[in-house]
Amino acid sequence: MTIKYLLDSNFKPTSYEKGDVIYEPGAQPRAVYFIKSGKVRMVTVNDDGKEFIQGIFKTNEYFGEPALLLNKPYLAYTIATQDSEIIAVKGDDFLKMLKDHPDFSMKLIQTLSHRLFYKSMMLEELANEHAEHRIRTLVAYLFKDVEHGQELKITRQQLADMSGLRVETVIRIIKKLSDQKELKLIRGKIIKI
């Protein structure tokens, strides 16, 4: 389902500033959120206040559908990581879209399957005690959507938050992977080779 379709169907975007919370854990789901512009991170926070990134969503992507489809409270925070415009599609409207647009339903199944695969991969990696193996696997997974010679648009802090490691450990491992020619570092940016 494209943003253009939603706008043509009179759905209105809401503006969020960087740092705004879209929803919190425990809130009842009311909508699925389509990003017209901007970026959102989904995080859980442990008792020590450390964030663990569950996902990063950008322009033309959507989030919030699992809780809505299951009618279960949200489990994570979603926070705008930059100024964003987001279209909230209420539950009944979202279910109608699924019924009226089988191509969108199939895309949703693929999206959910992709996310489930990612979560399964990360659970396996978190069980692995070897930090380098975790980062190597995570970077390889994230590079799937990046062309050769292009930058991975993930910071080292985000890699740390995704892997459950300290940022210092991630920096050391990324430098080592660069030295081993598995990736390239240019002015601190991670480049696929």
Side-chain angles (χ1 to χ4, degrees):
M1 199 53 51
T2 65
I3 298 299
K4 182 179 180 335
Y5 169 84
L6 293 172
L7 294 171
D8 290 347
S9 300
N10 295 315
F11 288 93
K12 304 289 184 215
T14 300
S15 294
Y16 292 87
E17 293 182 7
K18 180 180 179 178
D20 284 351
V21 174
I22 294 122
Y23 60 72
E24 297 182 358
Q28 281 302 121
R30 302 192 194 296
V32 175
Y33 300 87
F34 290 77
I35 304 174
K36 179 177 181 250
S37 65
K39 192 183 284 187
V40 171
R41 76 182 187 278
M42 181 179 290
V43 298
T44 52
V45 181
N46 71 13
D47 292 339
D48 297 330
K50 179 165 175 37
E51 286 188 2
F52 183 78
I53 295 178
Q54 299 288 330
I56 297 174
F57 306 96
K58 54 191 182 303
T59 300
N60 294 321
E61 294 181 339
Y62 51 90
F63 58 93
E65 70 283 0
L68 182 88
L69 291 170
L70 294 172
N71 194 28
K72 300 277 188 188
Y74 295 118
L75 297 176
Y77 291 91
T78 52
I79 303 164
T81 56
Q82 57 186 231
D83 292 350
S84 303
E85 287 186 291
I86 299 174
I87 301 170
V89 177
K90 292 187 179 172
D92 291 340
D93 292 326
F94 184 72
L95 293 175
K96 184 175 182 338
M97 283 170 40
L98 291 176
K99 289 177 187 166
D100 293 349
H101 301 279
D103 55 329
F104 177 66
S105 296
M106 184 52 114
K107 179 86 169 126
L108 175 67
I109 291 168
Q110 291 170 338
T111 298
L112 290 172
S113 297
H114 181 72
R115 291 181 192 165
L116 182 60
F117 180 83
Y118 168 77
K119 301 257 186 203
S120 296
M121 181 195 73
M122 287 310 299
L123 278 174
E124 184 177 328
E125 288 306 312
L126 288 173
N128 185 333
E129 294 181 20
H130 301 288
E132 185 176 322
H133 186 266
R134 281 192 214 177
I135 295 301
R136 181 177 272 119
T137 302
L138 181 57
V139 168
Y141 177 80
L142 295 170
F143 269 160
K144 286 189 327 182
D145 296 326
V146 176
E147 298 291 324
H148 291 283
Q150 296 297 309
E151 171 189 350
L152 181 64
K153 303 251 189 234
I154 300 283
T155 66
R156 290 182 184 112
Q157 181 63 58
Q158 289 170 326
L159 285 172
D161 293 343
M162 294 170 96
S163 64
L165 298 169
R166 295 178 43 220
V167 71
E168 295 82 6
T169 303
V170 171
I171 290 169
R172 181 179 46 77
I173 293 169
I174 292 296
K175 172 80 170 87
K176 181 177 179 182
L177 295 178
S178 175
D179 292 345
Q180 294 173 343
K181 307 279 191 247
E182 294 183 41
L183 54 84
K184 188 186 286 186
L185 280 175
I186 298 177
R187 290 187 297 273
K189 299 191 183 319
I190 302 168
I191 309 294
K192 182 176 182 178
I193 55 175

